[in-house]
Amino acid sequence: MSRKEFDASRMRRMKRVAARHGLTILTSDKIKTLGQPGGHAIREDESFRIVYGDVPKPFSASLDDIEAYLERLEDESS
């Protein structure tokens, strides 16, 4: 497995892409401390509104979901 496939590396890359679009990736630390995988959400920096990952419940998006969402944004902007 290469370094770029580790979750931390993926998250750093996704945060850079999100920042280009004025977005921030949020991670639920509370879920991690309970022994369950932490979920994610995307917040718009200008309005602090959650734009992805809050339906059906807060922090419901996985890393794969976030990555797919950001890839769609990148495709739309190019």
Side-chain angles (χ1 to χ4, degrees), residues 2-69:
S2 70
R3 280 184 162 237
K4 70 179 185 176
E5 294 174 7
F6 288 120
D7 285 346
S9 299
R10 285 177 64 199
M11 181 59 86
R12 282 192 299 274
R13 281 194 317 275
M14 288 188 284
K15 284 184 176 187
R16 286 192 299 268
V17 171
R20 286 196 298 263
H21 294 280
L23 304 170
T24 300
I25 299 173
L26 307 173
T27 301
S28 173
D29 290 330
K30 182 176 182 181
I31 294 175
K32 283 183 184 177
T33 60
L34 297 175
Q36 301 169 347
H40 305 281
I42 297 179
R43 180 185 70 194
E44 186 177 50
D45 292 339
E46 192 172 297
S47 66
F48 295 104
R49 184 175 58 94
I50 302 296
V51 295
Y52 186 75
D54 62 336
V55 175
K57 59 184 180 175
F59 297 102
S60 60
S62 69
L63 268 182
D64 293 333
D65 296 337
I66 296 291
E67 192 169 36
Y69 180 85

